[in-house]
Amino acid sequence: MSISAKSLGQRNSMDAKVWAAKKRAREAKAKKLREERQQRAQGKAPDEVAAAEHRLLASESHRHNEGYMEDFYAALKEMEHGSSGAKADYDDFGRRVRSDSGLEAKKRSDSSTRNSTLAGSTVGSARRTSSNCLQRSGAGRSQVDFLAWDPALDGGLPGNLPEIQFQGGPLDEHGIQLDMSDRNILCMSVNHRGNELCFGSADHAAYVYDLEDLHCDQTRRGAKRQLYSKSCGHSDWVTAVAFSPSGHVYSGGMDGQLLRWDSSSRVEALLAKGESPVSVLQTLCHQDVCVAGNYRGELCVFSSDTRTTLRAHDAPVMAMDVGGGIGSLVLSGDRNGLVACSDLARPELTASVLGEHQGHCTCAKAAPLALGPCAASGGQDGLIKVWDRRKNDGPMLLPAHRRKKSGRLEVGAVADVIWRGSHDGGDDNYLISGGADKKVVVSDVRMGRPLHSMKGAKDFVYAMACYGDAIFVGTGDGMILCHDLKRGKNSLLWGLGGTSMGAVRALAAVPSQRALVSAGDDGKAVVWKFPA
């Protein structure tokens, strides 16, 4: 059957109209998208667009994951209840707890007592108090006997130490190699006297080295102490370590345990296995007080045989600082971006919400004593927020890792923040930050703006250390860079290979030993000594 020229022309005309309409719709959609991008670059994004973008952020993925896992375990529980008479229960972390008696299993985290093991034997249990805050429920009375630190009683600030000549690099560019494990090193701590190091590893062990003995051998394979044995130790990654003034080593892990080791490697369990994984840990340099943050959003404060639990967050605690080790101010940030503050010196341990970041709160640091009750926090939004508890006008915003380029806003997550205080041989008003934008930014707190950025990093900044005018930076490609703060933008002095594989995860300057210590993903640490 033949098709007339008229009908064919009509059909082609209709197809052309449909095609033109689709083209106009695509162009309108592209125009609207360009306008929205311009508005976002100017900080004027529509509410619905901002909400949609916020839901799609990678920093929000844990919320969807938690909801999914809750539905998963609820469905699994229903299946098991229907298939057998025995009931099965699951805790917050997916661990199965069976109870054939039909009674609900009591969570280990709600236990009022905890057994402490000392070299395999049982010792007395410790008292425990609990306080829930943030206007959710009444705050319990803290049992922590906090002693205010007086610098005059301790010979002044802990930074009154000899200078190091860092401009020409270390004495030996290869450094002293500490071969610990074939697994990643996740954390590091230096004791308050600066003569011992402790490393936490993904192989479930912690390693202690005497820094004063590391001056002859180029490679040390055996640690002074290995905090792990068949009868005691962690059963998962060691995520946080810290020294106490009494010489004890605290170690926290993904298995939920918080262990206290003495000089003879005898261990006491402060948090039993099965509790919430420990994410952050810090001690005070003048008193045997330990503060640990976990994935349940709690801050656990230990003093002698007393434990006080503060529910400061609704999400895992990702960052924490206890007054820089010398004050009573506890600053903490969680995975939802919330920043909270509490004071150990007060008779009731409660937490107050300071504010929040968009995305995770990635770092938190209390200010030096000279600045009073101030603190700084950094987040995935590329902002550094400076908080002053004496004021109620909100934080000071430092867009250190945000910049506009070609009409678009580029954001780099803040990895670490350092106050360059007077005890470091500098001025209290400087904040030094490193981020995922491969930059190290120097900001002036009193002026309220970033001064300049130090370039040279080829990968993300993971760790930082500061002493005097020397800024040491560890990056994701395993490099360690040294910057001179006095040189401004052109500050890079030298660089060294810190790891043979992966990123530099931890970095510390130890002026008392004139040393720089790094640890990373290759399971090794390197100690560099500098001339006097």
Side-chain angles (χ1 to χ4, degrees):
M1 183 177 66
S2 62
I3 301 177
S4 64
K6 184 177 181 180
S7 62
L8 184 60
Q10 289 178 348
R11 190 173 66 180
N12 290 340
S13 178
M14 292 178 60
D15 291 343
K17 290 180 180 180
V18 171
W19 180 85
K22 290 182 179 180
K23 181 180 179 181
R24 287 193 298 269
R26 288 196 300 268
E27 291 176 349
K29 186 176 180 180
K31 181 179 178 181
K32 183 179 179 181
L33 184 60
R34 286 195 300 269
E35 291 176 353
E36 290 175 352
R37 285 177 177 173
Q38 292 177 359
Q39 289 178 344
R40 287 196 298 271
Q42 298 172 1
K44 300 177 181 178
D47 294 339
E48 57 272 11
V49 176
E53 286 191 344
H54 189 67
R55 286 194 299 270
L56 296 176
L57 288 175
S59 59
E60 297 296 311
S61 61
H62 67 280
R63 298 178 186 268
H64 305 291
N65 181 68
E66 289 170 356
Y68 172 81
M69 295 306 297
E70 289 177 1
D71 295 340
F72 175 82
Y73 288 118
L76 186 60
K77 189 187 301 183
E78 290 178 2
M79 291 175 58
E80 294 201 355
H81 286 181
S83 60
S84 64
K87 290 188 177 182
D89 198 7
Y90 295 85
D91 63 10
D92 296 338
F93 307 98
R95 292 182 289 259
R96 181 176 176 180
V97 181
R98 293 195 60 87
S99 176
D100 295 333
S101 62
L103 298 175
E104 205 172 278
K106 189 176 183 181
K107 292 184 179 180
R108 299 176 187 175
S109 59
D110 295 332
S111 176
S112 58
T113 60
R114 62 187 189 283
N115 293 327
S116 301
T117 56
L118 184 62
S121 61
T122 303
V123 298
S125 60
R127 302 188 306 273
R128 173 178 174 178
T129 61
S130 173
S131 59
N132 297 325
C133 59
L134 300 185
Q135 284 72 44
R136 282 192 283 270
S137 60
R141 193 169 188 82
S142 170
Q143 299 293 325
V144 177
D145 185 17
F146 181 83
L147 301 177
W149 181 64
D150 185 2
L153 300 178
D154 200 21
L157 288 164
N160 294 334
L161 298 169
E163 295 184 359
I164 58 175
Q165 301 297 325
F166 60 88
Q167 291 85 354
L171 296 172
D172 183 2
E173 63 179 10
H174 299 289
I176 304 171
Q177 306 288 327
L178 307 180
D179 192 355
M180 284 172 277
S181 173
D182 58 351
R183 303 290 182 91
N184 308 45
I185 301 298
L186 303 177
C187 53
M188 177 178 66
S189 178
V190 184
N191 73 340
H192 304 295
R193 292 188 297 171
N195 61 347
E196 279 192 324
L197 305 170
C198 184
F199 303 91
S201 174
D203 65 359
H204 310 173
Y207 302 88
V208 178
Y209 286 86
D210 191 337
L211 190 54
E212 294 178 341
D213 291 341
L214 301 178
H215 53 80
C216 297
D217 299 336
Q218 291 299 313
T219 302
R220 290 289 298 271
R221 298 189 179 276
K224 176 183 177 182
R225 285 187 289 156
Q226 181 175 336
L227 305 183
Y228 179 82
S229 67
K230 293 182 179 179
S231 59
C232 59
H234 292 279
S235 59
D236 211 327
W237 295 356
V238 178
T239 53
V241 291
F243 283 96
S244 72
S246 60
H248 292 89
V249 177
Y250 292 86
S251 63
M254 290 297 293
D255 56 0
Q257 291 191 95
L258 177 60
L259 304 179
R260 179 167 59 190
W261 308 78
D262 65 9
S263 58
S264 302
S265 297
R266 294 181 299 177
V267 61
E268 177 185 358
L270 301 180
L271 291 177
K273 183 178 179 180
E275 295 209 28
S276 178
V278 178
S279 54
V280 287
L281 181 64
Q282 192 171 350
T283 59
L284 299 181
C285 68
H286 65 287
Q287 189 177 356
D288 201 355
V289 175
C290 174
V291 184
N294 60 27
Y295 274 61
R296 195 178 285 123
E298 297 173 339
L299 297 178
C300 303
V301 184
F302 296 90
S303 176
S304 65
D305 62 344
T306 302
R307 168 184 173 182
T308 302
T309 302
L310 175 68
R311 183 63 185 271
H313 299 271
D314 288 329
V317 180
M318 305 298 292
M320 183 185 70
D321 187 43
V322 187
I326 56 179
S328 62
L329 190 69
V330 180
L331 184 70
S332 54
D334 64 25
R335 197 163 59 179
N336 287 343
L338 185 139
V339 182
C341 180
S342 54
D343 196 343
L344 296 178
R346 294 193 175 186
E348 290 189 353
L349 186 60
T350 58
S352 58
V353 176
L354 297 180
E356 61 181 349
H357 290 269
Q358 184 177 1
H360 304 344
C361 176
T362 52
C363 57
K365 289 291 175 65
L369 292 177
L371 288 182
C374 298
S377 63
Q380 285 186 318
D381 52 8
L383 289 174
I384 298 174
K385 298 187 177 183
V386 181
W387 314 88
D388 191 341
R389 298 185 65 195
R390 298 166 294 189
K391 301 178 181 179
N392 297 321
D393 54 355
M396 176 192 298
L397 301 182
L398 298 174
H401 299 275
R402 298 164 66 100
R403 68 166 184 167
K404 292 181 181 179
K405 185 177 181 180
S406 302
R408 298 181 59 185
L409 181 64
E410 295 184 350
V411 178
V414 182
D416 198 4
V417 173
I418 296 177
W419 291 89
R420 183 177 176 265
S422 56
H423 61 283
D424 291 320
D427 299 323
D428 288 313
N429 58 319
Y430 281 165
L431 264 177
I432 303 167
S433 60
D437 55 356
K438 308 176 186 178
K439 292 182 180 179
V440 178
V441 181
V442 180
S443 303
D444 192 316
V445 177
R446 291 192 176 97
M447 296 177 63
R449 65 179 180 86
L451 296 180
H452 58 266
S453 62
M454 303 176 178
K455 300 180 180 180
K458 305 285 187 184
D459 207 327
F460 297 168
V461 175
Y462 277 78
M464 295 174 59
C466 173
Y467 184 72
D469 293 324
I471 311 297
F472 303 102
V473 180
T475 62
D477 56 0
M479 291 296 295
I480 295 176
L481 308 177
C482 179
H483 294 271
D484 189 348
L485 190 60
K486 292 181 178 179
R487 296 194 175 192
K489 295 182 179 180
N490 301 318
S491 59
L492 183 61
L493 296 178
W494 46 263
L496 293 171
T499 64
S500 59
M501 178 184 64
V504 177
R505 296 289 177 179
L507 201 60
V510 190
S512 62
Q513 304 294 328
R514 296 186 177 89
L516 177 69
V517 186
S518 72
D521 288 340
D522 59 353
K524 300 177 178 61
V526 185
V527 179
W528 288 280
K529 296 294 183 84
F530 289 84

